[in-house]
Amino acid sequence: MLINCPHCGTRPVEEFTFNGDASVQRPVSTDMDAWFDYVYLRDNPKGRFDEYVQHSSGCRAWLVVTRDTQTHEVFGVVTARDYAKTRVKA
Amino acid sequence: MPDLFTRISALADLAIQGRFGADKGVPGVTLSLRTPSCIVTVIARKGKAKAVADALKAMRGAVVQWAGPDQYFVLEKPYDELSKKLSGIASCSDQSHGRIIIRIEGPKVRQVLAKGSPVDFHDSEFAIGKSALTQMAHVGVHVTRIGKDAFELSVFRGFSESFWEWLTEQAEEFGYQVV
Amino acid sequence: MTGFRLTAGGLIDRDTALNFTFDGKAFAGHQGDTLASALIANDVHLMGRSFKYHRPRGVISAGSSEPNALVEMREGGRKVANTRATMIELYDGLIARSQNRWPSLEFDVGAVNSLASAVFVAGFYYKTFMWPKSFWEKIYEPLIRRAAGLGVASKEPDPDKYEKAYAHCDLLVVGSGPAGLMAALTAARSGARVILADESSALGGSLLNENEEIGGMSGLEWAMATLAELSAMPNVTLMPRTTIFGWYDDNIFGAVERVNDHVLEPSPYEPRQRYWRIMAKRAVMATGAEERPIVFGGNDVPAVMTATAMRTYANRYGAAAGKSIVVFTNNSSGQRTARDMQAHGINVEAVIDARLKDDVIVNVKGGKRASAVELNGHRVIPCDAVAMSGGWSPIVNLMCHRGAKPIWNETIAGFLPPDVGPAFVAAGSAAGHMLLSECLADGARAGTMKGKVPAVPKCRDEAFAITPLWWVKQSTGKAFVDYQNDATAKDLPLAAREGYRDIELAKRYTTAGMATDQGKLGNVNAIAILADATGRTMDQVGTTTFRPYYTPVSFGAMAGPFVGHHFQPVRKTPLHDWAEELGAVFVETGLWMRSSWFPQQGEDWLAAASREVLATRSRVGLCDVSTLGKIDVQGADAAEFLNRLYCNTFSTLDVGKARYGLMLREDGIVFDDGTTSRLAADHFLMTTTTANAARVMSHMEFCHQAHWPELDVQYVSVTEQWAQMAIAGPKARATLQKIVDGMTLDDTTFPYLAAKNITVLGGMTARLFRISFSGEHAYELSVPADYGNMVARALMQAGEEFGIAPYGIEALSIMRVEKGHVAGGELNGTTTAGDLGLGKMMSTKKDYVGRMMAQREGMLDKDRQCVVGIRPHDAQDKIRSGTHILNKDDAPSMAADQGYISSVAWSPMLNMWLGLALLANGRARHGEVVKLFDGLRNIHSHGVICDPVHYDKENKKLHA
Amino acid sequence: MKYSVFSLLKNTLSGHKNWAPAWRDPQPKKDYDVIIIGGGGHGLATAYYLAKVHGITNVAVLEKSWLGSGNIGRNTTIIRSNYQLPGNNPFYEWSLKLWEGLEQDFNFNAMVSQRGVLNLCHTDPQRDAFARRGNAMHLDGVDAELLDAQAVRDMYPFLDFDNARFPIKGGILQRRGGTVRHDAVAWGYARGADLRGVDVIQNCEVTAIKTTGGKVVGVQTNKGFIGCKKLGLAAAGNSSEVAAMAGLKLPIESHVLQAFVSEGLKPYIDGVVTFGAGHFYVSQSDKGGLVFGGDIDGYNSYARRGNLPMVEHVIEAGVAMIPGLARVRVLRSWGGIMDMSMDGSPIIDKTSIDGLYLNAGWCYGGFKATPASGWCFAHTIAKNEPHKLNAAYRLDRFRRGYMIDEKGQGASPNLH
Ligand SMILES: Cc1cc2nc3c(=O)[nH]c(=O)nc-3n(C[C@H](O)[C@H](O)[C@H](O)COP(=O)(O)OP(=O)(O)OC[C@H]3O[C@@H](n4cnc5c(N)ncnc54)[C@H](O)[C@@H]3O)c2cc1C
Ligand SMILES: NC(=O)c1ccc[n+]([C@@H]2O[C@H](COP(=O)([O-])OP(=O)(O)OC[C@H]3O[C@@H](n4cnc5c(N)ncnc54)[C@H](O)[C@@H]3O)[C@@H](O)[C@H]2O)c1
Ligand SMILES: Cc1cc2nc3c(=O)[nH]c(=O)nc-3n(C[C@H](O)[C@H](O)[C@H](O)COP(=O)(O)O)c2cc1C
Ligand SMILES: [Zn+2]
């Protein structure tokens, strides 16, 4: 699997570490249900999936990789920074 | 500012001069240690990326290497001077003793690097002056191309012995020289 | 011809004589031979025994699909099992032995199995060996295990080296036959970076063994000319002896280059094999087609082989499989072999072409070497070798490695590769083209990077036609589908009758296709027979799943140089040399080597560590703590960032001060701890535990970039920049004072938890912290790494008059247990701040990672196990980590479990064993006498629960 | 037809023409008392025990593909009961006890082979953790032995004792642990269930779950609608997908785990050995292949195949543990989809929906659990309440803060 790091260019998967679903968002509220959802519940989709990935053996940037969990095809990569910003807007 | 105290490189005992590995005429690669007076990590503060880039471009006598998003290794400029010059726009951290820089050059340099890193160092992909962060032999490496067939490999001090052992073993089949 | 070596022809150097032994018997062959061709030239066909019935077997193929001729090669640490005699290049001094036979290949006792073969049908294991119950493990299974397997593998370390490497290209061409050569040439001429790889020892593919005509020259000459042009181009890499074993995501190919398997011993500077990860923008699968056997009686008798194999031995190796042969075919390949063999002066007794008349072979006579074939209608034709061709299977493996299934094609009676997109295309016979002209044109098409497809040289075509014949049902002898695993034509209908109808179930029940050749020859025949037995078509049955490895890959290649001591890199601290001088014993801690004790004459670790503790607590000690993670945290929002990372507050920390901090995971469990100092309003220095340094860094990067990108904060690891040493004990200050520049250390200039940039030894930059893990009056001093050893030596000198002693992490952990400080044993990923007695640190005024989840009922349950001190009830007793704790009068049971001892230490101060434990509702149980259960070591005693702080409760020494 | 030496000989005489099918190939009825989704080990075992122990035989097991095509058909076959937490160990020990009598019970030789499971340790803290675990096992009456380096060397002299980066300091051994012929487990349970009247229906994919008034009434499949009073989910790697059909969101992620087998060899290693300084464990199958594996690839995946980095990672560890492996060849590698839970422990429980039961979250450890999982799930379904052995495997434990986290990795499925 190859991931195109916005900072470093295309690198193979061995340079990255994964941290699961990026679509879940850390709640600002103190609502227990929202927090439970965030920490424990996952859609775990078969198909298109936004995933946190760190270029840990490279520039160390956290990225959000949109990938098909069945074919492993990568559709796109953005930095976690930009992902967070656009999400705030949305 | 010159060092008041004598620095003992972590590779002092290993990087012994001489010719090693296969004896096929010209050595495939030549290895040497580069010990800059200073290495400083410079990270731009929020919204100051461009200001920092410009300031570094303007800075005379500094060797500036890309080291991540809005982040640089600046060589040959003391930490104190840099943090003053860049105060308010960047955060500086002294790494002068934290990293070991190995220079590797010669006709087989790319074959040797290819045994460690997935980065494509082909002329068409990796211009002179370009830096990359990658891994070789389970060790994080900062690579900079400094000439046609010449590269610098910068690793954390603590890994340098292991890394040197690995690197020289990869160079054996071509024969290598340590200077 | 002399013996079975043809007098002319072949790509062998008849002037070289290479000596080798097979089963101890001496033979000679030529440069260019494989072990198989050399044996055949020496009239040796019996090369192995089959898995289940121990049937005598010889070569079926001349390539990597060989199921039968597997041999054991070399000796000692270089011994390797199951090597294909058809792939190993002959070298002088080669040693090979046959496998899976006893006492000898000629006479193999195991052959009795074939008498019982009527019982040993597919799946018989599952129906028996169940009574009496105890017999399975005592008798049946050991027998089965001894019978199973083929070769014997070495258990000695391998003296050879292995390497790994990455390669990048615009076009990877897999296979160097006409299609592959044409593809490579076309792409290379257009300037693309091309890699051409072939598993064979020489490039050229089938052109090395077929009589073809291309561009007015022989196919071989054309291949050599093309290769000459390619090898002259700087943008082309030719890789013979290189098997592409798998296709992975995003066009990454795994390959193994057999750099030195064709020599007696590699040069010390070269690897035996090199494993490649090839990243190809585009790739061409020009892997050709595999010729299938026909399933008929005795189709496994030595000297029965595929038609292509027979003519390959003759054409490429100058070795005759026999002197009078019979050909059995259902397609044009058989005619080719007959013609070529005749041209070599071999008698062709008969060509039985199933397409012409309904003659078929029902049995092959001659146990260890074919002597005659028996046709339906009992006609017997004497012969000494049989060539068979059941048709062609395009080699589609690689394209199916990512899940796509091949598609059945009636006209060629084979499965064609699936369409997997433009980045990886098939060409030539691999794509189902059986005519040379098509293969060349197809190769040119596949090799065209952009623009129009160039014209290809003219060539002579062999017509191709096939009428499927899978299984000669009238067979009188055993007819094999999977040679190596002894799966016969009868096994598949049986599997179907028993309900294992799906091809995947049939595979697992009969083991057809599961041997070392992965059914390269047999699978399509198996599919056809199963289709017939279940009234389904070929595509309804379909293939089993294609998986890596195209051919088996040695562990060594995959491990590369990362074995033995080099398995993982070693990380040394800047004080390593200093510690070594003082005779330190180093211990692996993650990748670090840490000095753990400094034994003197005749001391074991406990004596040494105890002495080090006494020295430190009574005088002064020096310890290397450089491995602690150090992270520079700067920026306008640095304080706010730390507030969110730690459960306690850092914005209130004064400049020049240090504070102990506790980090939680988002699930409310404790993650890491350490002291963090404020060097300036916008500059903190964080320390982490050695174990978590990397994870904490990555956690910070995640929190900042994913959660709080708005924060103006920068951080970088400076762990390696600083040599850090703890100076602890009543004389720590006095010792330190002697090297510190221009400052008198006292409680006003440098109070407890002070943290400052200073200089030492007359101008050396340094950082000094007044913190203590040992509980003593202590400091931690950081100096630039390259000066570390020198400063440590200077401190040893300065402390000499006070009787300074170096101490290691063993002494350190004794002292932290004495003081009840939690560490790894307690920070085990399941404890809360409350469990550790640090609940009060959790701020109620701010948001921080882990705050919410820490409030769940289960996290606050009073019966949670929390940290307590523990001591033996009888002060003489020893206590051990991992011992469980029960109520004094409870009988052992999981339900009665109250907790366990997490850390222990022999305390030289209190002269007894002390520990920390995690105990249910522990804080309420100080003073309670408990039962200590150590069933593992069968030690049972009693302990007393107490406050975790065993020594100097009032912290007098800290401030002394 | 009962399998025995005699039936084997009898059928040999008749050229094996008269073997009865191991299971029928039934068409689905229009409704069942219980439907189990998933014809893997757990689903089939559940049906088997529903029929055998609870007398509930109007049961269908719906399998979307061929029988045992899931993880039961692709796991590395290790069985053991060396867990340390109270919620886990009694359950896994019961499973091991069921394994010990399984073949006679369902009259199918699954080659249950207790040749021992040895976990190596390379540091003192590791040894302490093993001591804690071993003593927990002893508390539960389970066999465990703490070995020092010499004792390990006596068992397996060919491990790397002399040149290792991380020297072997000892290990923990469970002699009753071992391996089982994985496919045969699926086949044995399927045949046993079929003989007791259960419909095992292959190539039948559930595409929707129908509920009315908060109660399950049946499932939509590619073979049409099938009604049921109770519905058990045992879909392992596909649990999230199937649960979503009932509107449930699970504390589970799906990850790919690779496994490997070497070329067939004469006896090389007798028991199961697990490396403690990297991800590698190995045993030898009765066919002679070295069956081994390591860690999950790390990224969420529903593809039954992995990538090269984990292959290298595993094999590097393999040679570090057994230098002699360098010249052994890997024959084949594959992958399976793990239902990785948020605390590394499984869920066997009722759900918020009446008549809907959940069996999931097995991570890479559910093969050894197969008998007990079937046993407990059958009980939970039949009695509409958990058996005491699966009482801790509640779905709401995460919300309430009672995780069962053997490794202490927290809510990061790919770290368990
Ligand atoms: C490589 C690997 C190695 C492993 N090693 C071990 C080990 O050594 N020891 C151990 O204890 N465990 C091991 N495991 C874990 C173990 O295999 C699994 O936890 C266990 O098999 C899961 O239970 P199961 O058998 O019921 O799952 P499965 O066999 O996967 O059964 C689930 C079934 O549900 C079916 N299904 C899914 N969705 C639907 C639908 N919509 N409709 C109908 N059917 C559906 C699937 O097709 C599948 O057949 C390993 C797993 C893997 C992949
Ligand atoms: N007349 C017949 O019966 C008949 C049938 C089929 C093919 N043919 C002829 O055979 C020729 C086929 O040409 P082609 O170029 O398609 O195939 P080829 O057989 O000439 O070359 C294929 C090459 O690929 C190599 N290879 C296969 N898998 C590999 C792997 N995984 N890694 C590395 N190398 C691998 C093989 O070693 C072989 O050298 C044509 O001339 C065709 O006419 C004739
Ligand atoms: C314990 C075990 C042993 C195996 N032994 C072999 C073997 O000897 N030969 C073989 O070809 N495959 C073997 N396999 C792998 C299977 O062929 C198959 O790849 C695996 O069950 C996954 O199925 P799939 O590849 O069809 O997806 C084995 C699998 C397991 C779980
Ligand atoms: Zn990057």
Side-chain angles (χ1 to χ4, degrees), chain C residues 562-581:
Chain C
F562 307 115
V563 297
H565 269 294
H566 298 294
F567 168 52
Q568 294 278 303
V570 170
R571 200 174 181 184
K572 287 188 179 174
T573 81
L575 299 179
H576 194 89
D577 294 355
W578 162 77
E580 213 162 30
E581 286 158 19

Side-chain angles (χ1 to χ4, degrees), chain D residues 81-377:
Chain D
S81 61
N82 56 359
Y83 286 73
Q84 68 185 8
L85 298 178
N88 275 332
N89 206 69
F91 172 86
Y92 284 101
E93 175 56 14
W94 175 237
S95 208
L96 196 50
K97 292 223 166 66
L98 288 172
W99 282 119
E100 285 167 337
L102 186 64
E103 294 150 302
Q104 288 66 24
D105 185 59
F106 67 20
N107 178 233
F108 202 94
N109 185 355
M111 307 181 193
V112 175
S113 173
Q114 298 176 288
R115 298 192 312 279
V117 172
L118 172 66
N119 299 63
L120 301 175
C121 66
H122 310 257
T123 65
D124 293 351
Q126 262 181 327
R127 191 197 287 111
D128 294 348
F130 282 174
R132 173 194 173 192
R133 200 205 304 185
N135 278 320
M137 293 162 70
H138 276 256
L139 275 178
D140 199 35
V142 179
D143 74 301
E145 295 165 47
L146 199 61
L147 306 185
D148 61 14
Q150 188 52 50
V152 172
R153 196 169 194 151
D154 295 343
M155 280 183 86
Y156 297 110
F158 50 90
L159 305 186
D160 191 345
F161 290 93
D162 305 321
N163 186 38
R165 170 72 175 82
F166 301 101
I168 295 167
K169 291 213 164 141
I172 187 170
L173 171 67
Q174 182 180 25
R175 292 196 190 271
R176 284 168 60 241
T179 60
V180 181
R181 173 80 177 88
H182 59 294
D183 293 319
V185 176
W187 301 341
Y189 274 123
R191 178 165 164 273
D194 177 273
L195 283 170
R196 290 168 175 78
V198 172
D199 286 354
V200 178
I201 304 169
Q202 302 183 57
N203 305 307
C204 180
E205 175 163 17
V206 172
T207 52
I209 293 173
K210 200 159 174 340
T211 61
T212 46
K215 189 181 182 332
V216 166
V217 295
V219 295
Q220 197 59 49
T221 77
N222 60 334
K223 295 184 189 249
F225 177 82
I226 312 175
C228 67
K229 299 189 182 61
K230 294 180 173 184
L231 180 65
L233 309 189
N238 294 280
S239 293
S240 298
E241 205 195 17
V242 178
M245 297 174 190
L248 299 179
K249 198 168 170 183
L250 302 179
I252 285 176
E253 285 182 10
S254 293
H255 285 264
V256 58
L257 177 67
Q258 301 191 64
F260 312 78
V261 64
S262 77
E263 295 183 334
L265 300 169
K266 289 297 170 192
Y268 193 88
I269 189 164
D270 190 50
V272 182
V273 184
T274 301
F275 194 43
H279 296 103
F280 178 77
Y281 59 90
V282 63
S283 67
Q284 186 166 17
S285 83
D286 283 350
K287 268 180 88 262
L290 299 178
V291 176
F292 62 99
D295 198 8
I296 54 181
D297 272 34
Y299 43 81
N300 290 52
S301 176
Y302 282 93
R304 282 180 179 164
R305 48 182 191 81
N307 278 293
L308 283 169
M310 186 48 62
V311 178
E312 297 173 49
H313 182 78
V314 168
I315 289 179
E316 284 169 16
V319 181
M321 185 173 102
I322 308 178
L325 285 180
R327 292 183 103 92
V328 172
R329 296 192 200 84
V330 195
L331 172 63
R332 186 173 170 105
S333 66
W334 61 96
I337 303 311
M338 309 288 80
D339 36 339
M340 302 299 293
S341 73
M342 286 284 175
D343 62 357
S345 295
I347 299 156
I348 305 178
D349 201 359
K350 310 195 287 185
T351 67
S352 51
I353 296 161
D354 192 10
L356 184 68
Y357 304 84
L358 177 65
N359 174 316
W362 293 100
C363 303
Y364 35 72
F367 176 69
K368 70 178 85 67
T370 304
S373 172
W375 178 282
C376 291
F377 200 37

Side-chain angles (χ1 to χ4, degrees), chain A residues 5-9 11 15-16 55-56 58-61 63, chain B residues 66 69 133:
Chain A
C5 172
H7 304 299
C8 306
R11 300 288 181 89
E15 286 197 353
F16 300 82
H55 192 189
S56 44
C59 66
R60 300 203 53 90
L63 312 170
Chain B
W66 179 89
L133 290 151

Side-chain angles (χ1 to χ4, degrees), chain C residues 55-56 298 300-304 363-373 383:
Chain C
R55 306 252 306 187
D300 68 326
V301 174
V304 178
N363 198 13
V364 177
K365 298 204 177 310
K368 293 173 188 155
R369 167 83 190 246
S371 61
V373 299
C383 65

